[in-house]
Every structure is written in C-alpha cells, then in structure tokens.
Amino acid sequence: MATMIVYGSNLSPFVRKVLVYAAEKGLTLELVAAGLGRGGPDFKETSPFGKMPGFRDPGADGGKDFCISDSTAIIAYLEAKYPQNPLIPIDPIGRARTVWFEEFADTILFAMGSKIFFNRFVAPKVLKAGGDEGIAAAAVAHELPPILDYLEGVVPPSGFLVADRLTVADIAVASPFVNLGHVDVVVDPARWPKAGAYLVGIHARPSFAPLIAAEQRMVAQFG
C-alpha cells in the first residue's frame, strides 16, 4: 500500500494537527514540503488554492489518487477510513463539542496566533520582509488573555477537553500554541494554571513532542 502524503510545513498549525492526529491513530503519513512557493503541480493538485495542508491517498479512489485539502476535511476522511481508536466521538454531545473546539482553534485561536507568529517569525526571518511588532504585541496583550481565560474555565480535571480522553479537540487547540512557544510567548502558570498545565500535558505526548523538538531546531536555524 502506497504511503499517504501530506503537503505543507509542520510549522503550520494545520499541518501539525494532521500529523499529530495520524500519530495518535498509528497511521503513517509522508510530509512533503509545500507552500510559500514550494510543492509544484503535485501540491496544486491536492490544494487548488495553495493552502496547507494538501493531502494525497494514492489509488484510494477506484485506483486513482484521492486528493483533498484542509485539515478538517483530511481528518474527517481519515477518521472515516480508519475508525479504530476514534478521535472524534460518536455521541451527539461529544461530537458537537469536538467540532466546536476544532472550529475555535482553526478560527479564533489561529487568527490571534498568526498575528504573533507571522510578525515575529515568518515575515522577518523567513520572508526577510520585516514584521509589525505592534500588531504582534497587541495580540499578546489584548487577544490572547481572553482565549486563555476561556480555556482556564473549560479544561476539566481529566486534562482533556471532551469525553475525558484525547480527541481532535485537544490536538486542534494545542497545535497553535506550539507556534506561540516558538516566539517565546508562554502561558503564565500563576494566572492560568489549568490552561498552562493542560497545554504542557498535551504537548508532552509522543505524538506532539518529537515534532515540537524538530521544529525548535528548525526555528533556531533562522537565528
């Protein structure tokens, strides 16, 4: 069976989300560098608008490659194809809450985090175009605290957002915080002890920790 392919960079919270999901499911995915001008026609076939991640499952569609983009769509496909060890609950409440947390992460959390990561890392160090520190600082000061206040109020004693076990909700919410860590934005444990401990625990999982370590080495190369 040919290996499934994810196109993108694991510095993207959405690519990372798919890679962590696959690791938790015991699935093997090959990461092919794409985005920011990379990837060529193969990436374009999987992601017509050039958004990371793209995905290819060779021969899955009646002998043709199945291609799709968007992390949520990719995970929905993999969850349906490989239902063992489910990471999306099947009960109505659990499924709805998982969908909510993924949407919260993909929209509200990502929009905040991208202002910080783009202006403190991508623009100045990757694109060599300079970043707007004012935008980043404002996001840290005014947008991040309400998000952490929310997490502080909803993280249960189990340390998992839904069903007292790991779900896509945890993977999606924890992923953007990796990017914040890369630019030295940390959660104050005195102000947000539950949210801070929650993120530390999820990031320490074997699915997350090796990716984070590899990314830290990558980020360090940019100085």
Side-chain angles (χ1 to χ4, degrees), residues 120-205:
R120 290 186 174 175
F121 179 76
V122 177
K125 297 186 178 183
V126 178
L127 301 179
K128 307 298 183 183
D132 190 327
E133 174 56 24
I135 292 176
V140 172
H142 304 298
E143 296 183 48
L144 178 57
I147 288 172
L148 290 172
D149 287 343
Y150 171 70
L151 285 178
E152 186 71 14
V154 298
V155 172
S158 68
F160 301 107
L161 291 171
V162 179
D164 292 336
R165 63 179 178 85
L166 185 84
T167 66
V168 170
D170 302 299
I171 297 170
V173 168
S175 187
F177 281 98
V178 175
N179 292 68
L180 297 185
H182 290 328
V183 290
D184 300 321
V185 176
V186 297
V187 178
D188 181 356
R191 183 172 177 182
W192 297 288
K194 290 196 297 182
Y198 164 74
L199 292 168
V200 168
I202 300 299
H203 288 165
R205 293 181 68 87

Side-chain angles (χ1 to χ4, degrees), residues 11-203:
L11 283 176
S12 158
F14 303 116
V15 174
R16 187 187 303 114
K17 179 172 71 170
V18 173
L19 295 177
V20 170
Y21 168 86
E24 291 285 351
K25 294 281 284 190
L27 303 175
T28 299
L29 300 180
E30 177 186 358
L31 177 62
V32 173
L36 296 177
R38 300 172 300 174
D42 288 345
F43 174 47
K44 184 72 171 178
E45 184 182 13
T46 65
S47 183
F49 296 97
K51 300 294 185 181
M52 296 184 280
F55 173 83
R56 183 186 305 274
D57 190 352
D61 186 10
K64 300 184 298 182
D65 291 2
F66 171 68
C67 298
I68 197 72
S69 62
D70 183 79
S71 61
T72 299
I74 294 166
I75 288 174
Y77 170 75
L78 292 173
E79 187 78 356
K81 186 171 182 177
Y82 301 98
Q84 67 277 10
N85 181 28
L87 294 179
I88 301 176
I90 61 172
D91 68 283
I93 292 175
R95 177 164 294 190
R97 293 184 65 227
T98 300
V99 170
W100 151 246
F101 280 115
E102 186 174 16
E103 177 66 12
F104 160 74
D106 289 358
T107 55
I108 297 170
L109 181 49
F110 174 76
M112 178 278 302
S114 64
K115 294 176 184 177
I116 302 168
F117 189 66
F118 180 82
N119 286 293
R120 290 186 174 175
F121 179 76
V122 177
K125 297 186 178 183
V126 178
L127 301 179
K128 307 298 183 183
D132 190 327
E133 174 56 24
I135 292 176
V140 172
H142 304 298
E143 296 183 48
L144 178 57
I147 288 172
L148 290 172
D149 287 343
Y150 171 70
L151 285 178
E152 186 71 14
V154 298
V155 172
S158 68
F160 301 107
L161 291 171
V162 179
D164 292 336
R165 63 179 178 85
L166 185 84
T167 66
V168 170
D170 302 299
I171 297 170
V173 168
S175 187
F177 281 98
V178 175
N179 292 68
L180 297 185
H182 290 328
V183 290
D184 300 321
V185 176
V186 297
V187 178
D188 181 356
R191 183 172 177 182
W192 297 288
K194 290 196 297 182
Y198 164 74
L199 292 168
V200 168
I202 300 299
H203 288 165

